[in-house]
Amino acid sequence: MSAWVLPDHIADVLPSEARHIEELRRQLLDTARGYGYELVMPPLLEHLESLLSGTGEALDLQTFKLVDQLSGRSMGLRADTTPQVARIDAHLLNRRGVARLCYCGPVLHTRPDRPHATREPLQFGAEIYGHAGLEADTEVLRLALDCLRAAGVRNPVIVDLADARIVRALFAGVPVDAATIARVHAALAAKDASGLGGITAGFPAASRQGLLALLQLYGDAAVLDEAAKVLPDTAAMRHALSDLKQLAGRLDGARVSFDLADLRGYAYYSGMRFGIYTEGASDALVRGGRYDEVGAVFGRNRPAVGFSLDVRELVGVLPARPLRAAIRAPWSDAAGLGRTIADLRGRGETVVCVLPGHESEIDEFHCDRELVEQGGQWKVQSI
């Protein structure tokens, strides 16, 4: 095999796309900072028991594992940053009040999570710790929408809402093991009515009928009214449906839909969950929700809600950006040229010094101006 061939679903990022990704990263972090979110940078590598504590089987299967040559302990390359940020909130910051944290860095997956996806996403995310109310859920959703606007997403977006408490309420009082729950979740996600019917054949009637009803509970706001009629009338169910209705009413400028059987993503979600879709994307551009229990394994179980997205995937649905405007300069030791170039670069301009014999080559920059000498002074002129 040739030495330059990369592993499957791993790719180099070339100049124009790399510039777009880096500019988006900065825009997203600046948008989060505008809301008061502080940047953290967790390590790419951690002890395995810390990295996977409380996250469920799906994240375990996505995590590359290796042995630390210094300690002999099992290590993992992170496949998701949320558990790490929960550890930072619990053990390093340990604040009494609200903590708003954001991050942007690579994660690694043992296999692509869908066809044509990369195994090395550049994950951006933002999370609020310490507030259990709908105010935090609303802020996270609004920030996610503002991040897409800042990135240049102009197509209409759809916010698809669900709530993990609905399925959890339907399992209340049902004696099932973790494997059965996982099979139910998979059948719900696949909208597999026959499979779900077989799995729940021995469930109490109310739970079985409620789980089967979820398969049809997707669409516009009328879904919530229908859910209130066909799902068990319990306090937990009423609370979840009421929260979804209130959240939907707070999202101006976005179309809202509901899919009450949507359980995609990692197992740590404990309440409201959402995906944001737009034309041109094969799956949700953004996923997030409430995961109040994610910090419990670190000894600090407090409210948490947030979202994440893959910056590389986001670039794929946006128009390509034009080449960056630059100033062309000759390669010369002429008096004053070096000082002029340094002054222009100090003011944020890109100045490309053309090496001898390479005057006609094309690269990442569009040289629309050039430095010329006039009367002993170097001046910028349009080309």
Side-chain angles (χ1 to χ4, degrees):
M1 181 178 292
S2 299
W4 54 266
V5 176
L6 293 174
D8 290 344
H9 301 281
I10 298 291
D12 294 308
V13 182
L14 301 183
S16 289
E17 184 180 4
R19 174 169 60 88
H20 197 169
I21 288 172
E22 174 59 16
E23 289 173 354
L24 270 185
R25 185 189 69 84
R26 296 179 187 181
Q27 288 172 326
L28 294 169
L29 289 173
D30 286 346
T31 302
R33 183 173 60 184
Y35 275 69
Y37 287 72
E38 301 171 275
L39 178 64
V40 293
M41 295 181 179
L44 185 62
L45 185 71
E46 277 204 48
H47 292 130
L48 199 59
E49 60 269 25
S50 171
L51 202 60
L52 297 180
S53 292
T55 58
E57 182 183 16
L59 194 54
D60 186 11
L61 294 175
Q62 280 285 52
T63 300
F64 279 101
K65 303 174 179 69
L66 63 156
V67 175
D68 182 6
Q69 297 301 307
L70 292 179
S71 67
R73 295 177 63 180
S74 294
M75 306 280 278
L77 296 168
R78 67 173 179 229
D80 181 39
T81 313
T82 291
Q84 295 183 294
V85 180
R87 175 182 54 76
I88 289 172
D89 173 70
H91 277 288
L92 299 181
L93 295 179
N94 198 26
R95 294 175 180 169
R96 294 178 60 86
V98 169
R100 290 179 170 90
L101 305 175
C102 65
Y103 57 85
C104 190
V107 296
L108 293 172
H109 294 164
T110 56
R111 62 190 67 194
D113 57 12
R114 58 184 175 279
H116 311 299
T118 179
R119 291 196 289 165
E120 189 188 6
L122 180 61
Q123 189 180 54
F124 165 80
E127 308 181 4
I128 299 178
Y129 291 86
H131 186 76
L134 280 179
E135 297 84 0
D137 300 50
T138 303
E139 178 174 299
V140 159
L141 276 160
R142 288 174 176 170
L143 173 56
L145 291 169
D146 277 351
C147 283
L148 293 183
R149 295 185 190 105
V153 175
R154 297 292 176 258
N155 294 330
V157 299
I158 300 173
V159 179
D160 198 55
L161 293 173
D163 198 307
R165 292 173 296 177
I166 291 174
V167 174
R168 186 176 297 181
L170 293 172
F171 276 119
V174 181
V176 291
D177 56 24
T180 301
I181 292 175
R183 290 171 60 208
V184 169
H185 286 181
L188 287 170
K191 298 289 193 291
D192 181 3
S194 60
L196 184 61
I199 297 167
T200 59
F203 283 25
S207 295
R208 183 172 190 269
Q209 292 167 8
L211 289 168
L212 289 169
L214 289 182
L215 299 177
Q216 306 301 321
L217 292 175
Y218 59 89
D220 59 20
V223 165
L224 300 182
D225 296 329
E226 180 64 19
K229 296 176 184 176
V230 301
L231 297 179
D233 185 20
T234 64
M237 193 69 72
R238 289 194 300 271
H239 193 186
L241 295 175
S242 174
D243 283 356
L244 289 176
K245 184 174 291 188
Q246 289 186 63
L247 280 173
R250 295 176 176 180
L251 302 181
D252 298 330
R255 178 182 158 195
V256 180
S257 64
F258 303 88
D259 185 352
L260 302 190
D262 184 9
L263 293 167
R264 285 172 291 179
Y266 298 127
Y268 48 63
Y269 287 108
S270 62
M272 178 277 299
R273 51 193 297 148
F274 66 90
I276 302 180
Y277 298 80
T278 189
E279 183 180 346
S282 60
D283 197 9
L285 277 181
V286 182
R287 285 202 179 275
R290 182 163 283 280
Y291 29 84
D292 290 343
E293 297 156 17
V294 72
V297 293
F298 303 112
R300 195 162 188 235
N301 191 10
R302 73 190 201 125
V305 60
F307 71 89
S308 66
L309 60 85
D310 178 8
V311 182
R312 295 176 68 169
E313 182 182 21
L314 181 56
V315 165
V317 303
L318 297 172
R321 295 194 175 182
L323 297 179
R324 184 180 176 88
I327 299 169
R328 185 171 64 197
W331 185 267
S332 170
D333 293 324
L337 178 59
R339 289 193 303 272
T340 302
I341 291 173
D343 180 61
L344 288 167
R345 287 173 175 165
R347 288 187 274 152
E349 294 281 5
T350 297
V351 182
V352 180
C353 292
V354 179
L355 299 175
H358 297 270
E359 290 80 7
S360 61
E361 293 180 3
I362 299 173
D363 56 22
E364 159 68 7
F365 303 98
H366 170 55
C367 292
D368 58 352
R369 293 154 293 161
E370 64 180 344
L371 271 174
V372 296
E373 187 179 17
Q374 295 180 348
Q377 300 292 322
W378 289 94
K379 297 183 178 180
V380 178
Q381 286 187 349
S382 296
I383 297 177

